Amino acid sequence: MDVVIFRRKLRNGLIFFALVVGAVFMLFPFLWMLFVSLKKTGHGFLLDFAFAKPFFANFKAVWNNPSFPFSRFFLNSLIVATSGAFLTALFCSMGGYVFAKKDFYLKELVFWMMLATLMVPGMMYMVPQFAIVTKLGWINTYKGMIIPHVANVFGLFLLRQHMETIPNSLLDSAKIDGASEWQIFRTIIVPLSLPVITTVFLLTFLFQWTNFLWQLVVNTPDSAKLTLPVGLALFKGQYSTEWTKLMAASAFSIIPIAVLFIAAQRFFIEGLTAGAVKE
Amino acid sequence: MAEVVLNNVSKIYPGGVIGCKDINLHIKDKEFCVLVGPSGCGKSTTLRVIAGLEEITSGELKIGDTVVNNIPAKDRDIAMVFQNYALYPHMKVRENLAFGLKLRKYPPAEIEKRIQETAKILEIDHLLDRRPKALSGGQRQRVALGRAIVRKPKVFLFDEPLSNLDAKLRVQMRVEIKKLHARLQITSIYVTHDQVEAMTMGDKIVVMKDGFIQQIDDPIKIYEKPLTKFVAGFIGSPAMNFISVKITSRNGNFEASEVPSGFVYMLKSEDFPFLRDYDGKEVVMGIRPEDIKDTIFANIKDAENTVPAVVEAEEPMGSENYIHLTTQSSAITMKTAGSNRVKMGDRLNLVFDRNKLHFFDRETDRKIE
Amino acid sequence: MIENRKLRATVTSYLFLAPFLLVFLLFLAWPVIYSFYLSLHKVCWSTDLYNVFSDMKLVWFQNYKQLFKDSHFWWSLIVTAYYALLTIPATIFLGLMLAILLNNKLPGVSLFRSAYFLPNVLDILVVGIIWTFIYSPHYGILQKIFNLLGIQTFAREGILANPRTALPGIAIAMVLRGAGFGMILFLASIQNIPKSVYEAAEIDGAGPWQKLLYVTIPLVKPIILFLVVMGTIASLNAFTEIYAMTQDGGPFAVHFMGEIQGATKLSGYYLFEKWSQMKYGYAAAISYVLLAITLVISIVNARLLRRKQ
Amino acid sequence: MKNRKSKIVFLAVFLATVNFVSCGKPKEKAENGEKKIVVWETYGNEEHSEILKIARQFENKNPGVEVDIQRVPWGGHESKIMTAMITNTAPDIARVDVAFLPRLVKSNSVLELSRFGEINTEDFVPAAIESNIFAKDGEKGIYGLPDQTTGVALFYNKTLFAKYGIKSPPKTWKEFVATAKKLTVDKNGDGKPDQFGFAMHKDLWWTFPFFNTFGVRFLSDDGKKCLLASDAGYEALQLKVDLYQKYKVEAGAWQSGSIDPDTGFLNGVYAMIFSGPWNVKRFRDAELDFGISLIPAGPAGTSTNVGGTNMVIMRRAHYPEICFEFLKYLTSPEIQAQWCQDLGQIPVNLKAEKLMDFSDNKEIKIFLEQMKTAIPRPKVVSYQTLALTVNPYLYAALAGEMSVKKALDTVAKKIETEVLVER
């Protein structure tokens, strides 16, 4: 008996140890980024302890920047990322629902078409997309920054995959209970897929938050809608880059997403496991 | 008035797969009708057609006085209990019950009243604030029932509602559903693959196979006068014994000789006038286990008609005992009193109750009358 | 046979799909179709930049013909495939291992989950830069560790300047960044496996490895497939990590089809090069060939899967 | 609970719609009747405030004119201008990399300037103005004005020089190699040096100083032949290769993923690098004791590469005359002197030199000196294509994968067939 307990303890101890080592390994770039962001100019790559003076000088330089209003860029980023992620999650849920639960004409064709667009490198979309946005007069607008990326095929597939596991009897039952298609979607499908919807929301939020080239292109330089990545790019000069400041800026811009992810992650995992009724 | 009438209803899936075909069924108001058959027989399809979850390919379906072919499920005023209960996992029991009413815009006070009422009937008042996950199987079953009851629909539909419960609970719920039906007096259509459930619950039983109706009758008729070999074999436990025999006319009577062994059963022609058409042909003879007696146990002497058989196994059930035997070329089960015990290899002389013999055409499987 | 119900379902389906489909057709499908049109054209030196799309020259299939002879393109396909082979199995393996470890009841499990997932929120560019610091010769932290172990193989050129290790080096960085995502998916899937299945396996005499091999892996297959698809797409699109970690597509010490090739010049990067030189037509042709290749692979994949089912 | 949830959803939808309704209208062109010109620049923070100051000065001198200075991040500025042109949202004046100019000229995207007024090409740093001059239809024209010019010079670490007893920076390549050897040291005794005499980049642009000091001509006058594969060319590249391969004084900084020369110099592990004026302030801020000297002389004396940016007037500019006036103003001796005095940069206008006080900026004097012998880059339509063609072979030569001769021979042929003619 004792031996069994001892062996279990040993096993758990080993697993724990492995996890700690793994965590250090995987978090290393993250920690290193924070480390670099605190260092003296030019010492970014060295394993010394030459920190900037004052300690948070790099962060200060980023925050009190004369050339771009950090807080406004931050707010713009927040607006773009939030509404972009919200619309993406909504549209993808609606699309995922019909792909999972409906039989309709041209379903296969539309499916393959969507799959095909996933395979094309994003760069190819930029110029045609930009032409459309201009035609629509969406330059310098939030919608110009958001809408073109709202049709997230990947998110749709993710949701479809999940929604397929919702038992049909639930939908039948709701139908008999008197629910319209929209009510079924709203009261059954959405609550039961919420974890995955959250996942899609988070991933799109992340994408929109870090999107640089598109936000740069779709705004004129005097636009009031410029976002954080565009602002951060100003730290990358023509001839040289201030790594320490850049890392400080990156650390800044990561804060909201890191907070969001960690806050949502319990929900995120638990939900993925919950899903449908068993048996 | 909530009769359910199906006239020539068919459901053919794309690709020609038959769901159900030419269903003619008249379920009277307040009747408890059971659709029974093995899996894939079309009983569930029929139910879903009635519910409006499947579209009718052809035919006419009436609920009450209205043809509902093109009326969506939500407007048919029916309620359905699903095999897996289909409780909304993200809603509390209370919300599950209220859902249908809410969607139909009932005033909150009325909803609450009905929930209380239903909860009392089903004794689930203490569960109202739990989520389905936190309920036992039986409790979930009750909530599922409650969700149907609370709406006070014209018709109840049950899709194998008890098959996920353990045996004891199943028996208990069977009775409760019967009681509920007696109390609420709502037309009910109940689908099951379990013939015991069908027999015990149905006012009317519909036996189905391969998408077609085999027989519609009350339980006793179904049992005593099965119209097809399939019905005969499906209803009743243990199942009816079937023996292939060849009929030959001899001395004004019939000889039924077992195939292939040739063992001869003598049959009086006045009892079986309908066998005249089958002179020289093979038919299937059926006899229920309880209609077989043993010369020793029953203490009867009918030397002419004793069938020697060897015991293979026995299933003592307490009150009765099922004995499995083989005659020269058929396996036969008999039901006898629990005290009548045998050993493997015992030789018994069986006596078939000739008034309880059934004959079926080999080609059509239909009863020969 | 046209069914009423299917017709009705079609109408509702498209109503639900409408917002997505509208954006999709306008901003994804149309550009893809347009890319084909583009791939038949050439932006000449004298093309009016104010008017690029109407001033290009129609050259029909010349871009494709040229592409067929382009050793750099063929090489980029090979490297892309290699990169996919390096990253996809490793990401899946690591994700699965982490998920299995985290499936144990241990103190601080949720903390570990966060920790493992966190790298996913980092910008690829930042991750790339940081790994460059780690890998650098002489002064990088990795070389410091190697020094302690007496390994001098990478002392002079580092990891990223060695044509043999450059791409694996990038792959390691990306695998460590991406494994957390796979872990989350695997974890969700593993927690959905009923305990009884493991108990049954245990009774059948399966040890931990057999349980992994015969129970867990077959049951998380959908996730594996999903990650394979995602990994393929990521490999085809790989650009930022290459851009951040090597110059111009890496150490040029590989000879292929009579040309010098960059050891990390993946097709996504090659496409970028052509694009940034304003060779829009050629870039479009590249993306179309890539699209054709991956579509064929996906269709074959889907067929195989369907047959198995 | 339920209510709250729907409120949140409602709020989110509301937020989203508000975004779309309240989207910013594009700015009206002219406010209160002023003539407005839009300038896109790609400067850094200090330069940005400087040019704002200059724009205000210009506005004061020219009533009724508004100069709208807009900042674009350097990364992506070409894509930005390209896409802006397609959609007709391009500015009136753009600051572009010198290498982008040929394409703009070839595609007729920018205006020829001499028709707006006289330009004294002798006033400018020769290499800088040269990058704006193109022959089109047999006629030479000026298609932009340089706003900033750079080239590289030799930076050396004074502390290290003193430590190893080196009195003065090397004047010739021979001295350079000897000096670098002294500065390449294995400090911890593991058999591998951990301080290097020199560190360099591999790219073509950074190789020009080598080619230029050996007198290598890149292209023939008609621009149809590449002359790189010459004895001078071989020698120049051989020297660069030898620094790494033979003398082993170079740190390998040219390789992917290594510590770049700037960073290593800043940390005192690379004793000498080539670098430009943009780093002066940075190194000074880091309290590094460093000196600057001319690029070591080769057979053709000292020389360097040319970088920098030009200001161009876009074809669809609204008030090209005003644009031109502004550019003239920006490049005038006074303004250049002010600009370079404030920022420590090389003036593009040679006349500015006299107006400047170099006492705080001795380095600039050296750069100015260096720029006088700088040789402009070959004017190929796509400098990027050229670089992408050459760089792999420079790499191969440096890595010892390919002999210098073979590398340059191949490169020359490739340039002739792939870069100089349109494919």
Side-chain angles (χ1 to χ4, degrees):
Chain A
M1 197 58 202
D2 275 345
V3 177
V4 173
I5 288 173
F6 174 76
R7 274 184 57 181
R8 179 175 310 149
K9 273 194 174 160
L10 184 74
R11 194 181 132 251
N12 282 354
L14 282 177
I15 290 174
F16 192 78
F17 181 73
L19 285 174
V20 171
V21 171
V24 169
F25 227 80
M26 286 185 61
L27 276 182
F28 192 76
F30 194 80
L31 301 172
W32 193 254
M33 178 187 77
L34 294 179
F35 183 61
V36 171
S37 69
L38 293 170
K39 292 188 77 177
K40 215 164 108 182
T41 307
H43 281 251
F45 72 100
L46 282 178
L47 191 63
D48 61 11
F49 293 93
F51 289 113
K53 271 180 235 163
F55 196 60
F56 289 108
N58 292 320
F59 285 91
K60 259 191 200 143
V62 171
W63 184 256
N64 300 322
N65 201 296
S67 65
F68 70 96
F70 194 91
S71 51
R72 196 171 78 207
F73 281 27
F74 198 92
L75 188 70
N76 283 339
S77 276
L78 209 59
I79 289 171
V80 170
T82 312
S83 34
F86 176 77
L87 287 179
T88 309
L90 179 68
F91 291 1
C92 289
S93 310
M94 287 163 68
Y97 167 51
V98 298
F99 271 105
K101 292 296 180 193
K102 296 270 163 202
D103 182 24
F104 55 92
Y105 291 105
L106 298 182
K107 187 175 174 176
E108 286 281 293
L109 181 79
V110 175
F111 181 86
W112 281 105
M113 233 164 67
M114 289 186 173
L115 202 68
T117 61
L118 265 185
M119 309 289 174
V120 178
M123 217 172 302
M124 290 315 300
Y125 294 117
M126 213 178 79
V127 174
Q129 277 181 348
F130 183 63
I132 298 169
V133 165
T134 317
K135 279 244 163 65
L136 294 171
W138 286 2
I139 299 292
N140 287 349
T141 64
Y142 286 132
K143 57 185 170 191
M145 298 157 87
I146 296 165
I147 303 267
H149 298 107
V150 156
N152 184 335
V153 178
F154 168 66
L156 186 136
F157 287 155
L158 202 66
L159 279 160
R160 182 193 80 136
Q161 212 73 5
H162 175 76
M163 287 171 179
E164 271 177 348
T165 66
I166 297 177
N168 286 325
S169 63
L170 282 184
L171 308 191
D172 289 344
S173 177
K175 250 183 238 168
I176 289 172
D177 270 342
S180 65
E181 282 294 342
W182 179 256
Q183 281 167 328
I184 292 175
F185 173 71
R186 173 69 195 78
T187 55
I188 309 293
I189 299 287
V190 168
L192 288 179
S193 317
L194 213 50
V196 188
I197 294 177
T198 314
T199 312
V200 171
F201 180 92
L202 290 177
L203 293 178
T204 4
F205 186 93
L206 183 63
F207 166 78
Q208 292 274 16
W209 187 263
T210 52
N211 193 353
F212 162 66
L213 204 53
W214 179 251
Q215 318 285 31
L216 171 71
V217 161
V218 87
N219 280 296
T220 56
D222 62 334
S223 169
K225 307 276 164 42
L226 286 176
T227 52
L228 218 48
V230 182
L232 294 185
L234 296 173
F235 283 99
K236 277 177 233 169
Q238 180 175 357
Y239 298 102
S240 61
T241 305
E242 294 283 5
W243 296 122
T244 50
K245 289 199 182 64
L246 186 69
M247 289 299 153
S250 300
F252 253 137
S253 73
I254 276 172
I255 292 169
I257 351 178
V259 167
L260 195 65
F261 268 79
I262 291 174
Q265 83 111 32
R266 188 184 57 87
F267 190 48
F268 192 60
I269 300 171
E270 230 172 53
L272 277 172
T273 58
V277 261
K278 280 258 137 181
E279 288 158 297
Chain B
M1 279 300 285
E3 310 183 309
V4 177
V5 181
L6 288 86
N7 286 327
N8 278 320
V9 168
S10 296
K11 168 73 195 173
I12 316 289
Y13 290 101
V17 178
I18 294 174
C20 58
K21 194 145 174 35
D22 296 332
I23 304 293
N24 283 299
L25 185 58
H26 185 152
I27 301 161
K28 284 187 233 112
D29 188 26
K30 297 171 188 169
E31 198 169 30
F32 198 108
C33 172
V34 178
L35 306 183
V36 68
S39 61
C41 72
K43 57 190 193 298
S44 282
T45 309
T46 310
L47 193 75
R48 291 171 65 80
V49 160
I50 297 171
L53 297 171
E54 302 279 354
E55 193 178 28
I56 296 173
T57 313
S58 65
E60 185 191 62
L61 171 66
K62 281 207 287 197
I63 296 178
D65 297 325
T66 22
V67 177
V68 294
N69 281 23
N70 289 318
I71 294 179
K74 60 179 178 132
D75 298 328
R76 290 190 184 188
D77 200 8
I78 47 162
M80 187 157 165
V81 178
F82 291 84
Q83 181 176 6
N84 62 1
Y85 320 137
L87 299 179
Y88 309 122
H90 55 297
M91 298 182 192
K92 287 178 186 156
V93 169
R94 181 189 301 280
E95 291 162 334
N96 262 290
L97 294 178
F99 188 66
L101 299 172
K102 239 189 210 164
L103 291 175
R104 293 192 161 78
K105 307 250 155 54
Y106 279 72
E110 170 72 13
I111 295 178
E112 187 55 31
K113 202 186 109 204
R114 286 216 196 170
I115 290 176
Q116 291 304 339
E117 232 174 74
T118 310
K120 209 159 284 155
I121 294 174
L122 293 168
E123 294 160 13
I124 50 174
D125 344 30
H126 58 298
L127 305 174
L128 285 178
D129 288 316
R130 293 208 198 152
R131 277 179 208 276
K133 230 181 177 175
L135 302 180
S136 71
Q139 288 169 332
R140 285 183 206 185
Q141 179 59 57
R142 277 164 194 278
V143 175
L145 278 176
R147 205 169 53 174
I149 294 171
V150 79
R151 288 229 333 268
K152 299 188 178 161
K154 275 199 251 173
V155 181
F156 273 146
L157 305 176
F158 297 91
D159 189 3
E160 310 211 15
L162 303 182
S163 56
N164 281 359
L165 298 179
D166 61 58
K168 199 170 169 193
L169 212 51
R170 204 180 304 168
V171 174
Q172 190 189 331
M173 285 307 293
R174 218 152 71 189
V175 178
E176 282 201 41
I177 291 175
K178 270 299 274 212
K179 276 198 215 153
L180 209 58
H181 177 248
R183 176 171 178 176
L184 300 173
Q185 292 286 309
I186 291 175
T187 313
S188 302
I189 305 173
Y190 189 106
V191 161
T192 181
H193 62 265
D194 180 350
Q195 52 93 19
V196 178
E197 247 171 56
M199 293 294 285
T200 52
M201 298 180 79
D203 297 332
K204 175 188 272 175
I205 293 178
V206 180
V207 183
M208 294 186 69
K209 186 196 173 200
D210 297 338
F212 290 90
I213 291 183
Q214 297 273 319
Q215 186 170 3
I216 308 176
D217 258 318
D218 62 58
I220 301 305
K221 281 251 185 66
I222 290 266
Y223 189 75
E224 292 187 342
K225 298 234 153 53
L227 287 181
T228 65
K229 185 188 163 200
F230 172 76
V231 176
F234 190 75
I235 302 289
S237 173
M240 183 184 279
N241 298 300
F242 294 113
I243 300 161
S244 284
V245 291
K246 191 175 172 191
I247 305 291
T248 29
S249 179
R250 180 163 300 191
N251 306 330
N253 285 331
F254 296 113
E255 264 183 32
S257 45
E258 194 181 1
V259 181
S261 70
F263 180 84
V264 173
Y265 302 86
M266 293 299 296
L267 304 168
K268 282 199 185 122
S269 58
E270 62 257 38
D271 291 342
F272 306 99
F274 45 81
L275 285 178
R276 201 159 296 135
D277 300 342
Y278 287 86
D279 191 3
K281 289 186 188 156
E282 267 183 40
V283 297
V284 176
M285 184 170 80
I287 181 137
R288 293 203 181 273
E290 62 266 36
D291 296 333
I292 301 174
K293 298 281 181 296
D294 174 78
T295 49
I296 302 163
F297 296 148
N299 203 13
I300 29 177
K301 300 252 170 348
D302 190 351
E304 245 179 83
N305 270 310
T306 47
V307 182
V310 182
V311 173
E312 294 274 311
E314 63 167 354
E315 287 182 88
M317 309 290 284
S319 66
E320 47 202 26
N321 191 7
Y322 305 155
I323 303 172
H324 300 278
L325 318 107
T326 42
T327 63
Q328 280 174 329
S329 49
S330 309
I332 278 183
T333 305
M334 72 176 282
K335 188 150 94 179
T336 170
S339 54
N340 298 341
R341 301 297 298 275
V342 288
K343 286 199 294 290
M344 223 182 95
D346 282 359
R347 289 172 178 278
L348 299 183
N349 285 320
L350 307 178
V351 178
F352 289 12
D353 182 344
R354 268 182 252 176
N355 297 321
K356 300 280 175 65
L357 286 177
H358 306 258
F359 289 93
F360 302 97
D361 188 299
R362 269 185 75 89
E363 259 91 62
T364 62
D365 277 356
R366 296 199 72 81
K367 187 178 176 71
I368 302 169
E369 284 179 301
Chain C
M1 181 165 24
I2 290 183
E3 265 190 280
N4 234 336
R5 182 162 296 231
K6 187 164 179 186
L7 213 61
R8 228 175 303 137
T10 304
V11 173
T12 18
S13 298
Y14 281 104
L15 279 178
F16 267 87
L17 260 181
F20 187 96
L21 212 55
L22 206 71
V23 178
F24 172 80
L25 290 175
L26 197 59
F27 288 106
L28 292 174
W30 187 76
V32 168
I33 294 162
Y34 187 79
S35 288
F36 183 69
Y37 170 81
L38 210 58
S39 75
L40 305 180
H41 286 77
K42 183 177 172 186
V43 178
C44 302
W45 287 354
S46 56
T47 298
D48 183 0
L49 295 183
Y50 274 105
N51 221 343
V52 172
F53 295 115
S54 41
D55 205 29
M56 328 179 268
K57 205 170 98 191
L58 180 66
V59 294
W60 293 107
F61 291 95
Q62 193 193 310
N63 285 326
Y64 290 95
K65 268 188 227 156
Q66 203 175 325
L67 194 59
F68 199 72
K69 287 183 288 185
D70 185 349
S71 73
H72 297 293
F73 174 66
W74 292 113
W75 171 253
S76 79
L77 286 184
I78 293 172
V79 190
T80 306
Y82 178 44
Y83 185 63
L85 280 180
L86 282 172
T87 48
I88 298 172
T91 310
I92 291 172
F93 178 78
L94 194 61
L96 187 58
M97 284 303 120
L98 288 175
I100 288 169
L101 287 182
L102 283 180
N103 201 29
N104 287 292
K105 284 210 164 33
L106 286 170
V109 157
S110 68
L111 205 72
F112 281 120
R113 279 181 201 158
S114 301
Y116 289 136
F117 190 75
L118 208 55
N120 273 282
V121 309
L122 283 176
D123 199 354
I124 294 182
L125 190 73
V126 174
V127 175
I129 290 166
I130 287 171
W131 276 93
T132 311
F133 288 157
I134 295 172
Y135 282 150
S136 71
H138 310 301
Y139 311 106
I141 185 162
L142 190 68
Q143 186 54 43
K144 299 269 189 232
I145 296 168
F146 280 169
N147 280 343
L148 291 179
L149 302 173
I151 299 172
Q152 293 298 330
T153 325
F154 305 104
R156 187 128 188 258
E157 7 180 50
I159 303 286
L160 296 173
N162 183 326
R164 264 181 228 98
T165 54
L167 202 56
I170 295 175
I172 287 173
M174 290 301 119
V175 166
L176 285 178
R177 177 180 178 272
F181 187 68
M183 173 203 73
I184 297 269
L185 294 180
F186 279 126
L187 203 55
S189 177
I190 287 175
Q191 290 182 348
N192 262 342
I193 300 175
K195 254 213 175 97
S196 55
V197 180
Y198 285 106
E199 286 160 1
E202 220 163 291
I203 287 166
D204 285 341
W209 282 111
Q210 279 110 336
K211 274 195 271 182
L212 174 68
L213 212 62
Y214 298 113
V215 180
T216 310
I217 289 180
L219 286 175
V220 298
K221 218 176 195 172
I223 307 281
I224 295 179
L225 283 172
F226 177 76
L227 288 175
V228 169
V229 173
M230 290 324 296
T232 312
I233 292 170
S235 303
L236 282 170
N237 277 291
F239 164 73
T240 315
E241 59 263 46
I242 310 298
Y243 177 78
M245 295 178 76
T246 57
Q247 297 160 11
D248 299 342
F252 294 90
V254 192
H255 297 264
F256 175 74
M257 280 170 75
E259 299 268 357
I260 291 182
Q261 311 287 355
T264 63
K265 200 172 271 187
L266 270 61
S267 43
Y269 191 89
Y270 189 58
L271 181 72
F272 162 77
E273 259 183 27
K274 293 294 165 193
W275 196 81
S276 65
Q277 289 174 60
M278 280 185 229
K279 295 185 174 168
Y280 296 140
Y282 201 64
I286 292 177
S287 67
Y288 248 83
V289 174
L290 288 179
L291 175 63
I293 292 172
T294 45
L295 265 190
V296 167
I297 295 173
S298 324
I299 290 170
V300 169
N301 240 338
R303 285 278 148 79
L304 285 178
L305 279 178
R306 210 171 290 168
R307 195 175 306 160
K308 256 187 200 163
Q309 278 167 3
Chain D
M1 173 67 198
K2 192 100 203 192
N3 250 331
R4 213 180 64 203
K5 219 188 263 169
S6 45
K7 257 182 208 154
I8 293 171
V9 171
F10 173 74
L11 207 74
V13 175
F14 178 71
L15 194 81
T17 21
V18 162
N19 287 339
F20 299 141
V21 178
S22 70
C23 60
K25 294 170 255 147
K27 251 190 192 167
E28 291 303 320
K29 263 289 156 208
E31 288 150 31
N32 52 45
E34 279 192 336
K35 291 178 177 175
K36 179 173 157 185
I37 58 170
V38 176
V39 182
W40 281 7
E41 47 91 348
T42 51
Y43 291 119
N45 286 341
E46 290 93 358
E47 294 162 314
H48 179 65
S49 30
E50 189 73 29
I51 193 163
L52 281 180
K53 208 163 84 188
I54 293 169
R56 294 298 87 83
Q57 289 169 2
F58 182 74
E59 283 170 356
N60 289 339
K61 280 193 181 165
N62 298 276
V65 172
E66 189 194 337
V67 182
D68 186 3
I69 304 284
Q70 300 181 3
R71 192 173 169 196
V72 179
W74 175 257
H77 84 277
E78 280 184 25
S79 311
K80 178 79 194 140
I81 290 171
M82 295 284 308
T83 41
M85 277 160 80
I86 294 168
T87 54
N88 226 344
T89 50
D92 302 309
I93 296 179
R95 178 181 190 248
V96 297
D97 191 79
V98 289
F100 192 31
L101 219 69
R103 182 67 190 239
L104 291 174
V105 172
K106 193 100 185 171
S107 63
N108 244 337
S109 305
V110 295
L111 295 175
E112 204 278 323
L113 299 183
S114 54
R115 64 168 135 148
F116 296 112
E118 200 193 337
I119 299 168
N120 267 330
T121 47
E122 301 88 65
D123 289 356
F124 291 92
V125 171
I129 190 71
E130 180 60 28
S131 66
N132 290 288
I133 299 173
F134 292 87
K136 220 162 142 186
D137 308 323
E139 227 178 297
K140 274 199 175 180
I142 303 172
Y143 290 86
L145 288 181
D147 71 292
Q148 199 178 52
T149 187
T150 56
V152 299
L154 179 70
F155 282 55
Y156 60 94
N157 186 319
K158 279 187 176 166
T159 321
L160 291 179
F161 267 48
K163 190 173 165 190
Y164 294 94
I166 302 160
K167 295 266 156 40
S168 62
K171 294 268 182 303
T172 64
W173 283 117
K174 207 173 152 195
E175 286 173 38
F176 178 80
V177 172
T179 313
K181 271 185 181 161
K182 279 186 214 158
L183 291 161
T184 305
V185 189
D186 172 16
K187 286 202 286 197
N188 59 7
D190 62 355
K192 309 254 170 203
D194 28 37
Q195 173 189 309
F196 294 89
F198 182 56
M200 65 192 180
H201 293 278
K202 76 162 194 304
D203 293 7
L204 176 60
W205 193 69
W206 294 95
T207 311
F208 281 127
F210 291 87
F211 287 140
N212 293 350
T213 50
F214 279 80
V216 179
R217 280 181 64 214
F218 209 93
L219 298 182
S220 61
D221 287 335
D222 60 1
K224 287 189 179 133
K225 281 224 135 16
C226 174
L227 308 176
L228 211 48
S230 59
D231 288 340
Y234 301 146
E235 263 180 75
L237 185 57
Q238 190 64 54
L239 173 69
K240 185 168 181 172
V241 172
D242 285 348
L243 290 177
Y244 176 70
Q245 292 286 0
K246 188 168 147 200
Y247 307 126
K248 297 195 186 334
V249 295
E250 202 278 338
W254 54 274
Q255 300 171 114
S256 301
S258 49
I259 298 305
D260 66 275
D262 290 3
T263 310
F265 185 70
L266 202 54
N267 289 287
V269 291
Y270 303 159
M272 291 186 284
I273 58 166
F274 290 169
S275 192
W278 58 87
N279 265 334
V280 172
K281 185 170 181 299
R282 184 174 165 214
F283 291 163
R284 231 189 251 156
D285 287 349
E287 289 162 8
L288 194 69
D289 190 13
F290 66 98
I292 301 177
S293 144
L294 299 180
I295 298 283
T302 179
S303 178
T304 188
N305 54 12
V306 175
T309 47
N310 296 327
M311 290 277 194
V312 293
I313 302 177
M314 304 303 293
R315 190 177 86 210
R316 294 193 180 163
H318 288 92
Y319 305 102
E321 297 83 9
I322 300 177
C323 292
F324 181 70
E325 282 310 311
F326 181 67
L327 292 193
K328 282 277 277 189
Y329 183 70
L330 190 66
T331 53
S332 65
E334 295 77 23
I335 296 299
Q336 278 298 306
Q338 175 194 331
W339 174 277
C340 298
Q341 193 76 53
D342 289 354
L343 298 172
Q345 294 183 355
I346 309 167
V348 290
N349 196 317
L350 293 169
K351 284 182 182 162
E353 194 180 347
K354 287 185 213 116
L355 305 173
M356 284 173 74
D357 172 14
F358 290 104
S359 54
D360 287 340
N361 276 312
K362 293 201 187 70
E363 301 86 359
I364 295 310
K365 187 116 187 132
I366 296 165
F367 276 112
L368 203 53
E369 195 64 34
Q370 183 79 68
M371 285 316 288
K372 285 177 186 163
T373 57
I375 296 172
R377 286 184 242 185
K379 275 182 246 170
V380 292
V381 174
S382 172
Y383 177 77
Q384 207 192 346
T385 311
L386 177 71
L388 286 174
T389 310
V390 178
N391 288 346
Y393 289 90
L394 293 181
Y395 193 105
L398 283 168
E401 287 280 320
M402 208 180 235
S403 75
V404 165
K405 186 172 182 316
K406 191 175 171 210
L408 286 185
D409 289 352
T410 322
V411 149
K413 214 169 287 154
K414 269 187 159 297
I415 288 173
E416 279 169 19
T417 54
E418 287 172 24
V419 183
L420 299 180
V421 290
E422 183 163 15
R423 269 222 315 182

